[in-house]
Amino acid sequence: MAFSKLPSAADQRLIDHAARHGFAVTVKQLASWRRAGLLPGNIPGGGLGRGRGSTSTPPPESFDLVIALARLGGRGKRPADLALLLFTEGLPVPEATVRAAFRAAVGADALPGEGDGSAGGLDPDEQLDQISKQLTDRGQVLTLVPARARRIDERIARALGQLPPEILELDRNAEPQRLTPKDATLTAVTATIGGSVPLQDIGALLRAMSPAMAANPMASLVETTEADVPEAAASVLAEDGSLAFIPDGDPRDLLRVLADTAPLEDLAAGWHTAVQVREWALNLCQRVEDELEAGQLGAAVEEWVHGRQLMSGLSVIATLREPRWTPSRGASSALMWLFQCQMLAMLDSLLPDCQWHILQIPGLAPPPVRDLILTKVVGPGTASTAETTTG
C-alpha cells in the first residue's frame, strides 16, 4: 500500500493559506515549484526536543507566491513562463530564476542547423552559407509583410491614390537595390549572427517591406546617410557602411549578457514596454480597419501612413508576424528594446547633442518605446526639453 507524504507544518500553513483564497495546493506542487526555483524553501527552525524532530517556517514571500502560482499555473505551463509572469506582476520570485528565464527566451527560436549541432565551429560566413543552403532546401523565407498589414496598405493606397510629387521627389535613389524574399531572409539572418549590416542593405530591406510603394523616402534617407552627413557618418559607420558601434558577432550573446546583468527594474521596464507595444500595434490595426470600413480616414490612418517606414511601422509588422504571444516572446522583445536603448546611449556618446526632440514626431516610434528611450537614454531633463521644444 502506498502512503502519500504528509505535509510538514510549514507546508501545511501554505496549503491552508491557498485554501483560504480558493485554491487547492498539494505537497507535490509545492515540491515541484521549489525544484523549478519558483518558490523558496522553508526556513529551518529549532528542534522540538526529545526526538520529536525540528520546526521550519515558510519565508514571508512564499505566501504571495503560492497564491500566484496556484492562479497562474496549470497543465502545460512552463516554469520559465511562470517565472516571467510572476516577476512582471512584481512578485518576489528568486532573482536567479528570473534571469534564467530571460536568458532562455533569447534562444527560443533557433536558426537552421543550430539545434542539430552542425553549425558548431563555423565562422559567421560559413554558418551563413550553411543556413542559406538549408533555407533553400526547405523553401523557407521571411514573411516581409504579414497579410493583415498588406491588406491595410492596399486599402489605404486605393483610398488615397498616388503619392504626391513632393513625396516622390524625396526618394533620391533612382536605381534602388531590389531584394527577393530569399535575399531579405538572408539579410535578416546576417544581422542575427553577425551584428550590424550595411545601411544599403537596411534600405533595401525597408523597400522590400513595402513593395507596392512608388517611392520610399525613409529607405532613401538610410541609403544616403553617409553622403548627407559625412562628418557624423565618419564617427559611426564602418568601412562597409555598417554601424561601427554595434559589436561584431551574434547579438543574441549580447542579449544573454543583458539578461544576466541588467538591473531587475530595467528588465521589468523592458517587459512592460514589449507588452504595451504589442497592445498598441494591434489596437492601431483595428482603428485603421474601422476607419477604412466606415470610409472616413482619420487619425489612425494618418498614424499608420506616417509611421509605416519608421520604427512604429516596423513594430506593427513585427507584432503581426507573431500571432501567438507567449511570455518567452515578451522576454525576448524586452531584451531587444533594452539593447536598442544601449546602442542609442552609445550613439549619444559618439554624437553629442543628438536631436532627441525628433522622438516626439508622430509615427516615429511606438509611444511606449518613445517613453522608454526618453527615460533610459535621454534622461528626465532632456526629455522635458524635448517635449517643450515640440509641444
Side-chain angles (χ1 to χ4, degrees):
M1 181 181 295
F3 294 91
S4 60
K5 181 180 178 181
L6 295 175
S8 65
D11 280 355
Q12 188 61 55
R13 287 182 61 190
L14 294 176
I15 292 170
D16 292 343
H17 179 72
R20 286 194 294 271
H21 288 79
F23 297 104
V25 171
T26 66
V27 176
K28 183 177 179 180
Q29 284 177 308
L30 294 176
S32 175
W33 292 334
R34 289 188 178 117
R35 285 195 302 271
L38 299 169
L39 187 68
N42 294 323
I43 302 171
L48 293 173
R50 297 185 180 181
R52 291 182 295 166
S54 59
T55 61
S56 62
T57 306
E61 64 268 26
S62 290
F63 293 94
D64 286 340
L65 283 170
V66 163
I67 296 300
L69 284 164
R71 172 171 52 85
L72 296 171
R75 186 179 299 277
K77 287 291 184 70
R78 298 168 59 243
D81 287 348
L82 288 175
L84 293 167
L85 293 172
L86 291 169
F87 169 68
T88 54
E89 286 192 10
L91 291 159
V93 62
E95 179 176 339
T97 304
V98 171
R99 294 192 182 277
F102 271 94
R103 185 181 178 86
V106 176
D109 294 319
L111 294 171
E114 288 186 325
D116 57 16
S118 61
L122 299 179
D123 64 31
D125 288 337
E126 292 171 330
Q127 189 178 358
L128 185 60
D129 287 340
Q130 181 189 74
I131 291 172
S132 175
K133 184 178 184 305
Q134 293 193 35
L135 289 173
T136 300
D137 292 343
R138 301 177 186 180
Q140 290 178 288
V141 294
L142 179 70
T143 301
L144 294 174
V145 186
R148 187 176 184 183
R150 186 175 63 252
R151 289 193 297 269
I152 290 175
D153 284 342
E154 291 170 350
R155 293 178 69 182
I156 290 177
R158 288 196 298 269
L160 296 180
Q162 294 184 344
L163 291 174
E166 57 269 27
I167 298 296
L168 295 173
E169 292 172 0
L170 292 176
D171 190 343
R172 293 180 289 155
N173 193 340
E175 297 181 355
Q177 179 184 356
R178 300 295 181 185
L179 294 183
T180 65
K182 178 184 175 182
D183 294 333
T185 300
L186 289 177
T187 299
V189 171
T190 300
T192 299
I193 65 177
S196 183
V197 296
L199 293 186
Q200 290 294 325
D201 291 345
I202 296 175
L205 193 56
L206 289 174
R207 292 182 186 278
M209 294 173 67
S210 296
M213 287 184 65
N216 196 315
M218 180 50 58
S220 175
L221 185 64
V222 171
E223 293 159 348
T224 60
T225 294
E226 191 167 1
D228 290 342
V229 284
E231 293 183 2
S235 300
V236 300
L237 295 183
E239 291 183 1
D240 65 351
S242 62
L243 296 172
F245 57 89
I246 295 182
D248 292 332
D250 193 330
R252 291 173 296 179
D253 292 336
L254 301 175
L255 297 184
R256 294 184 183 100
V257 171
L258 261 179
D260 291 337
T261 60
L264 291 180
E265 58 267 28
D266 283 1
L267 293 178
W271 168 279
H272 290 300
T273 297
V275 171
Q276 290 166 358
V277 166
R278 182 175 180 83
E279 293 172 349
W280 165 83
L282 294 175
N283 177 261
L284 176 60
C285 290
Q286 187 60 58
R287 290 191 294 119
V288 170
E289 290 165 341
D290 289 345
E291 289 185 2
L292 290 168
E293 193 65 29
Q296 297 179 346
L297 308 192
V301 169
E302 182 179 2
E303 185 176 1
W304 179 280
V305 172
H306 283 174
R308 182 63 176 81
Q309 297 304 309
L310 301 172
M311 190 188 300
S312 62
L314 298 179
S315 297
V316 172
I317 296 297
T319 296
L320 296 180
R321 283 202 193 108
E322 302 289 350
R324 182 175 174 270
W325 184 90
T326 65
S328 177
R329 297 280 188 200
S332 178
S333 296
L335 292 171
M336 281 298 302
W337 290 125
L338 292 177
F339 176 71
Q340 290 192 34
C341 284
Q342 277 193 345
M343 295 303 99
L344 288 173
M346 194 171 298
L347 177 63
D348 190 40
S349 68
L350 294 170
L351 297 174
D353 301 321
C354 280
Q355 299 179 19
W356 293 113
H357 62 275
I358 67 172
L359 287 171
Q360 302 295 340
I361 295 176
L364 180 70
V369 174
R370 179 199 62 209
D371 295 343
L372 181 71
I373 294 172
L374 289 174
T375 301
K376 298 297 182 184
V377 180
V378 182
T382 308
S384 299
T385 302
E387 291 175 2
T388 301
T389 303
T390 57

